[in-house]
Amino acid sequence: MSDVADGIGLEETRALAERYLMSTYRRAPVDFVRGEGPLLWDAEGKHYLDFLTGISVCSVGHCHPDVVKAVRVQAHQLMHVSNLFYTEPMAQLAERLSESSLGGRVFFSNSGTEAVECAIKVARKHAHSRGIASAEIVSFEGDFHGRSYGALAATPGLAENAALGPMLAGFRSVPHNDAAALREAVGERTAAVLIEPIQGEAGINVTSEEALRTAREACDEAGALLILDEIQTGVGRTGSLWAYEQTPVRPDVLTSAKALGGGLPIGACVTAPSCADVLQPGDHGSTFAGGPVASAAALAVLEIVDDPALLRQVRELGAHLCEKLEVLAGVRETRGRGLMVGVGLEHGIDAAAVGADLLERGLVVNVPRPDTLRLLPPLVIDSDHVEMAVDLIGESLLGFTTG
Ligand code: PLP
């Protein structure tokens, strides 16, 4: 590939990044220059099997031809006009998202955290309409909802960073899956319960059916909204288009982002009809959001993912992956659903060291906590890719279990 040959290479890229980028990330020493399907190539030409997909973004694989084509065609035709006008891809995407989920209206954003900001505004304004001036939003400890101040306030672990304070008021949390504490926390002042169906950043912790049911019942009793953050679980990741479809509850609002754009930045806050008209002109906006190119990409992604055969395969491959992983030396448990898998390692094994070793061996994974590997492979992998990943993880773990 000529673009690979023309690149500046890892050392120069790293030097530039360390000199000019804010130090908000600890990056692995790899300079990726190309992707195709489940594979990535670095600047030295080494290839990797990608079981992270840019943190559940490239779910249809890297540079899927249908997504590339949709982007190319749209980029030639119209890239941006703002939200002061109608554009066809945005309207069509809104229809597709609404009709495939809650049936109300959609607000587009450029990221997950902004989709959550919109959901918070919907919840607060909805509460105001019920006469609650200083309403509260309740989340679970371990939840991750984003890094902007609203979403941050709903992300208990990060909201404790006093150096970034003061935080937005009106948020509280209870221990994950503690249904009794959740019921206790939801009352007259509650605007919404905002939770993840499966906690992703915390290491793949499935929210129990009991907790979800309790959240739904408590919201119904209090007149509050149930907001499910499907930014990581949505768009097919768990083997249904939305994770809530495999649970006993239906939310009033859902947030999506990550995989929605197939690699381009787009998020969405989708409402049920009951709260579809809460936000009115002047309440919210975004210059770029839902632009033609990102929307065209998202339409192509949904065309690929919203397919019963693909979603069944995600469930089957996910189950197969977990079965294979669970018998490996060094693996304590697997957690998750579909192709959203957390691999809990035996006590004493440093997951960060395993993650770094796997990268050396050519498998990209992530380490959300010291005892867990997170696997978020493309939804379009086959059983050969599963075997390859399991073999690499097994070989790597041997080095950490035999001393
Ligand atoms: N919500 C969840 C569940 C997420 O996993 C993330 C990102 O990891 C976000 C919100 C924030 O999304 P973004 O990084 O696109 O702002």
Side-chain angles (χ1 to χ4, degrees):
M1 292 279 293
S2 58
D3 52 345
V4 176
D6 290 339
I8 57 175
L10 174 62
E11 288 321 314
E12 202 174 331
T13 304
R14 195 176 185 175
L16 288 175
E18 278 171 17
R19 164 68 181 83
Y20 291 107
L21 292 177
M22 287 197 196
S23 323
T24 53
Y25 282 96
R26 282 186 204 91
R27 293 172 209 271
V30 183
D31 169 16
F32 287 122
V33 294
R34 186 162 76 90
E36 189 182 321
L39 299 178
L40 284 167
W41 282 263
D42 71 14
E44 272 82 49
K46 176 178 166 184
H47 75 273
Y48 300 75
L49 181 59
D50 185 6
F51 262 45
L52 181 59
T53 53
I55 323 182
S56 199
V57 167
C58 300
S59 289
V60 295
H62 291 280
C63 304
H64 190 291
D66 295 357
V67 179
V68 171
K69 184 176 172 202
V71 167
R72 194 189 294 123
V73 168
Q74 188 58 52
H76 274 287
Q77 199 175 317
L78 181 71
M79 284 211 223
H80 178 78
V81 288
S82 88
N83 276 298
L84 301 178
F85 306 96
Y86 296 108
T87 49
E88 291 175 18
M90 184 196 294
Q92 288 168 334
L93 180 61
E95 177 193 28
R96 183 136 203 184
L97 282 172
S98 170
E99 295 300 333
S100 72
S101 61
L102 306 181
R105 295 179 188 274
V106 179
F107 178 86
F108 286 112
S109 62
N110 311 286
S111 64
T113 199
E114 290 168 86
V116 171
E117 293 300 317
C118 178
I120 292 170
K121 279 194 179 177
V122 171
R124 285 186 161 187
K125 198 171 173 211
H126 182 259
H128 274 276
S129 74
R130 296 187 292 122
I132 307 167
S134 56
E136 264 181 1
I137 292 182
V138 183
S139 296
F140 278 134
E141 288 167 15
D143 268 9
F144 183 88
H145 297 297
R147 304 255 182 194
S148 49
Y149 271 98
L152 189 62
T155 298
L158 298 179
E160 284 153 19
N161 187 348
L164 299 179
M167 289 290 152
L168 208 60
F171 293 82
R172 65 187 290 190
S173 60
V174 298
H176 187 228
N177 281 339
D178 188 336
L182 182 63
R183 183 169 282 281
E184 181 75 28
V186 176
E188 275 175 5
R189 288 186 54 203
T190 308
V193 171
L194 164 58
I195 51 180
E196 292 178 87
I198 301 174
Q199 294 184 331
E201 298 306 295
I204 317 290
N205 305 321
V206 178
T207 301
S208 69
E209 289 204 354
E210 190 201 0
L212 288 168
R213 248 197 223 100
T214 302
R216 180 68 278 173
E217 286 163 13
C219 284
D220 288 344
E221 277 167 27
L225 299 179
L226 175 59
I227 305 168
L228 287 186
D229 181 343
E230 292 244 22
I231 286 162
Q232 196 158 145
T233 55
V235 194
R237 174 56 56 195
T238 68
S240 47
L241 190 60
W242 308 107
Y244 80 80
E245 293 170 42
Q246 294 179 65
T247 78
V249 307
R250 194 179 162 87
D252 303 300
V253 177
L254 81 77
T255 53
S256 175
K258 286 195 180 279
L260 185 58
L264 292 197
I266 184 166
C269 174
V270 188
T271 56
S274 58
C275 52
D277 295 314
V278 170
L279 295 189
Q280 290 296 315
D283 286 332
H284 205 33
S286 165
T287 299
F288 287 121
V293 180
S295 293
L299 280 166
V301 167
L302 289 174
E303 194 59 35
I304 299 160
V305 172
D306 194 4
D307 167 8
L310 178 83
L311 294 170
R312 187 177 343 104
Q313 185 175 305
V314 169
R315 295 193 296 276
E316 287 170 3
L317 280 178
H320 181 59
L321 174 62
C322 288
E323 261 170 40
K324 294 246 157 195
L325 287 167
E326 276 164 14
V327 296
L328 294 180
V331 172
R332 183 170 42 83
E333 61 171 7
T334 61
R335 304 183 294 272
R337 193 173 290 140
L339 286 171
M340 181 172 186
V341 176
V343 188
L345 303 179
E346 296 288 1
H347 182 70
I349 302 180
D350 174 10
V354 179
D357 182 60
L358 285 170
L359 192 62
E360 282 277 313
R361 291 170 188 270
L363 180 69
V364 183
V365 303
N366 165 253
V367 181
R369 60 185 222 207
D371 66 348
T372 297
L373 303 174
R374 175 169 52 165
L375 309 183
L376 300 162
L379 308 183
V380 293
I381 50 167
D382 59 31
S383 52
D384 287 347
H385 298 120
V386 168
E387 304 294 332
M388 279 161 65
V390 170
D391 285 351
L392 287 167
I393 295 171
E395 283 163 22
S396 173
L397 283 174
L398 277 183
F400 292 87
T401 48
T402 53

